[in-house]
Amino acid sequence: MKSFQSQLVEHLPYLRAFARGLARNAALADDLVQDTFLRALMNSDKFIPGTNLRAWLSTILRNQFFNEMRCRSRLASYVALPRPVLAFSGDQESRHEMRDCERAFHELPAAQSEALSLVGASGYSYEEAAEIVGCAQGTIKSRVFRARAELEWRLAGNGPPLQAPLAA
């Protein structure tokens, strides 16, 4: 049987992708993953063996992210997180398309980008994502559907957002 620490390491790629989707900042995402691992190790006795470790870790990471955002908002009025700037050579169309996709993703409402990160990028089921976020499964499905539709609309070059930003 694998040790708890080795099981944590197996989930590192998923957590990094989820953190980057939430934070939209590579440095903050790396800090979130590190804090998540630290908290998981300190609270390993609270994890119930046989349950979904990845969902447990994702919940810790998500809570860390919201705690960080609350602390930042107390220190100053809303400060937009800097988005990573990517440099591409001019001859590679696919890299420009990727940059456009990344930009469109970062313009999605936070709830939609979070849902799409969980289901689309991290591979969670709708049920697992709903458990992590703390909402109904139908809400996650709706957020993912809206996020995908919005991305498709923006990437087709149709101009302004397809829909007004929604909380859901």
Side-chain angles (χ1 to χ4, degrees):
M1 183 167 187
K2 295 180 183 177
S3 69
F4 185 73
Q5 291 84 354
S6 64
Q7 291 178 38
L8 289 177
V9 172
E10 288 177 5
H11 296 288
L12 179 62
Y14 297 105
L15 291 175
R16 289 191 75 212
F18 181 45
R20 286 179 181 236
L22 280 177
R24 301 175 183 184
N25 174 290
L28 177 57
D30 290 342
D31 289 345
L32 287 170
V33 172
Q34 183 176 349
D35 290 344
T36 298
F37 271 59
L38 181 61
R39 287 187 181 273
L41 289 170
M42 290 176 15
N43 295 296
S44 62
D45 59 317
K46 295 179 181 157
F47 176 71
I48 302 167
T51 59
N52 189 336
L53 179 59
R54 191 168 64 168
W56 186 68
L57 292 169
S58 297
T59 301
I60 294 171
L61 189 143
R62 184 176 182 271
N63 290 340
Q64 281 294 111
F65 171 73
F66 287 122
N67 287 340
E68 178 70 23
M69 292 301 100
R70 273 193 292 275
C71 289
R72 286 179 184 222
S73 68
R74 286 186 198 127
L75 296 173
S77 60
Y78 178 76
V79 175
L81 294 174
R83 293 202 167 80
V85 177
L86 302 176
F88 302 113
S89 61
D91 61 327
Q92 299 199 11
E93 185 67 29
S94 63
R95 291 195 180 199
H96 290 288
E97 290 172 359
M98 186 61 186
R99 184 195 62 217
D100 293 342
C101 183
E102 184 178 78
R103 183 183 313 123
F105 178 80
H106 288 306
E107 291 173 353
L108 290 174
Q112 290 178 11
S113 64
E114 177 185 38
L116 192 57
S117 290
L118 286 169
V119 174
S122 296
Y124 288 105
S125 68
Y126 289 114
E127 183 180 354
E128 291 169 328
E131 182 182 326
I132 290 166
V133 174
C135 68
Q137 186 174 341
T139 302
I140 288 292
K141 287 181 179 180
S142 174
R143 289 175 183 173
V144 169
F145 174 81
R146 289 179 185 157
R148 287 178 175 155
E150 186 68 31
L151 283 176
E152 185 178 343
W153 176 264
R154 289 175 188 227
L155 294 174
N158 293 318
L162 178 62
Q163 58 190 348
L166 300 172

